[in-house]
Amino acid sequence: MQYIDNVIFLILLVAGFGLFAKSLKELYRNIKLGREINRTDRKPERWAIMARVALGQSKMVKRPIAGILHIFVYVGFVIINIELLEIIIDGIFGTHRFLHSILGDSVYSFFTVTLEVLAALVVLAVVVFFIRRNFYGVKRLTMKELFGWPKQDANWILIIEFSLMVAFFTMNGADYYSDTVRFSSNFPISKYLFPFFQNFSLETLHIIEKSAWWFHFVGILFFMNYLYYSKHLHIILAFPNTWFANLEKKGKFNNLDSVTKEIKLMMDPNADPYAAPAEGEAEVPSKFGAEDIFDLNQHQLMSAYSCTECGRCTSVCPANITGKKLSPRLIMMKTRDRLEEVGRNINKNGGKFADDGKKLLNDYITKEELWACTTCNACVEACPVLIDPLSIIFEMRRFLVMEQSAAPTELNLMMTNVENNAAPWQYNQADRLNWAKDN
């Protein structure tokens, strides 16, 4: 019987990690659909930012209650799953609490006590989060854009995490009241959660312990493979997303090299406009700006997958606050929706994208949303994992202006004035200082 258990365990382990690897491969392929971008400069600064923001959760604690509770879940869930190493060894070789034989009584006792305390903090945090999302009425968590799957997804994540922690405590509680394990101080919380276990027979305790152990193991595999379909991908992608973040000052636009070159040619009467590009010089792009996910860069697509849907960006957006249609969070969610749709299209058509007649612009993100943005960078500053919704908005605006000449009338007037008068105002250059004559 033990041999059959080991075989079943090994099959589940290989299948679980195999499916996870397949999902990661698909994720990588989808991100690579974007334009290449080189962000490997300033490496020490990038490592420091990743350590501070992704690992250290520095931006989460700007909202202390939510930030501290998130740290409970983040640290607790990650450290608790170190126990997965012990579960894998026990499952493959049929041992029981293998690390005890390696660490000894004192160290293993410290290890399990630490896990129990962290698990209790995780339970506390997920319960509070569930209440906040469903009953407390936090505005950014109850907005219309979260209705349907986004809300269900968030709740399922909390339910799964809660269930895994309950299974963890049940497994430990059954072990505590079993004569087969003599760790009197290892489970300070579990022993008080299940005092009725002391009335059970050893056989019943063994069944309870093994059932909880299997539930915990299968639950971890399920949760791991659920990540690909969930906003919880940020627990993986927050690290590369912060490392590859834009380190330029906020508000600095990425001027197109090809346009810069053309302007320089216009200003240089001796330049040859038909000369071949020099080595390393940018070619004129086939399209200005972004109409679909293929026109965005790879970091922007990674950011779409990294979005936690926390809504901090939308809660500080002046356009959204004043009732306009724009929501930076929804910009990222719609980008990810389109990216996933393209991924399914590629899977369905043997690894190649078949034109589906849809675009990110208009089919997902409307012009009204794009032009409502004030480019204030509040959303960029607020994001806890350094996502930049403004960069996507700006690239799509660039497409509207440079490819479709579809800017609002006010902007067209301003650009015409800049072209004719070298200023945004409709005054002749010779009259520019008239305002000062009477002063």
Side-chain angles (χ1 to χ4, degrees), residues 379-407:
C379 58
V380 183
E381 177 62 32
C383 181
V385 291
L386 305 185
I387 292 171
D388 186 356
L390 177 57
S391 67
I392 295 177
I393 293 172
F394 180 71
E395 288 298 331
M396 297 183 76
R397 278 183 173 183
R398 177 178 273 164
F399 175 83
L400 289 171
V401 172
M402 300 184 72
E403 292 283 346
Q404 296 187 339
S405 299

Side-chain angles (χ1 to χ4, degrees), residues 139-147 314 320 327 329:
K139 183 178 178 181
R140 63 188 172 91
L141 301 178
T142 56
M143 298 176 70
K144 187 177 179 180
E145 63 201 51
L146 292 182
F147 289 2
T314 296
N320 188 273
S327 167
R329 168 173 58 188

Side-chain angles (χ1 to χ4, degrees), residues 209-242:
E209 189 274 332
K210 290 306 292 183
S211 299
W213 184 90
W214 276 102
F215 182 90
H216 190 71
F217 168 66
V218 174
I220 290 173
L221 293 183
F222 174 81
F223 185 74
M224 182 173 67
N225 283 282
Y226 178 71
L227 291 180
Y228 178 70
Y229 308 95
S230 165
K231 75 184 186 71
H232 231 53
L233 259 176
H234 71 272
I235 67 175
I236 298 173
L237 293 181
F239 293 89
N241 195 72
T242 52

Side-chain angles (χ1 to χ4, degrees), residues 139-261:
K139 183 178 178 181
R140 63 188 172 91
L141 301 178
T142 56
M143 298 176 70
K144 187 177 179 180
E145 63 201 51
L146 292 182
F147 289 2
W149 170 248
K151 181 176 181 179
Q152 294 172 20
D153 175 39
N155 284 336
W156 275 117
I157 290 168
L158 297 175
I159 291 169
I160 292 170
E161 290 176 343
F162 180 83
S163 300
L164 289 175
M165 294 304 99
V166 170
F168 172 77
F169 283 127
T170 303
M171 177 178 66
N172 288 350
D175 259 352
Y176 175 79
Y177 287 104
S178 171
D179 290 342
T180 59
V181 181
R182 299 174 183 175
F183 309 135
S184 60
S185 61
N186 280 27
F187 310 121
I189 297 176
S190 298
K191 66 181 180 182
Y192 293 115
L193 288 178
F194 306 101
F196 52 88
F197 278 3
Q198 62 186 320
N199 300 320
F200 293 170
S201 66
L202 290 179
E203 183 179 351
T204 302
L205 288 172
H206 177 71
I207 293 172
I208 292 173
E209 189 274 332
K210 290 306 292 183
S211 299
W213 184 90
W214 276 102
F215 182 90
H216 190 71
F217 168 66
V218 174
I220 290 173
L221 293 183
F222 174 81
F223 185 74
M224 182 173 67
N225 283 282
Y226 178 71
L227 291 180
Y228 178 70
Y229 308 95
S230 165
K231 75 184 186 71
H232 231 53
L233 259 176
H234 71 272
I235 67 175
I236 298 173
L237 293 181
F239 293 89
N241 195 72
T242 52
W243 199 91
F244 288 108
N246 184 9
L247 300 185
E248 299 293 339
K249 291 182 179 179
K250 291 181 178 64
K252 181 178 179 180
F253 289 140
N254 57 325
N255 295 325
L256 296 175
D257 293 338
S258 57
V259 175
T260 303
K261 174 190 172 185

Side-chain angles (χ1 to χ4, degrees), residues 79-128:
I79 294 179
I80 287 168
N81 280 323
I82 294 176
E83 191 193 27
L84 184 62
L85 173 64
E86 183 178 55
I87 290 176
I88 290 174
I89 295 173
D90 287 346
I92 294 175
F93 298 103
T95 55
H96 184 68
R97 296 197 178 268
F98 172 81
L99 289 181
H100 177 255
S101 62
I102 302 296
L103 301 177
D105 289 343
S106 299
V107 177
Y108 189 74
S109 178
F110 175 79
F111 172 66
T112 54
V113 168
T114 302
L115 294 187
E116 289 244 319
V117 172
L118 290 173
L121 293 176
V122 171
V123 169
L124 170 66
V126 298
V127 168
V128 173

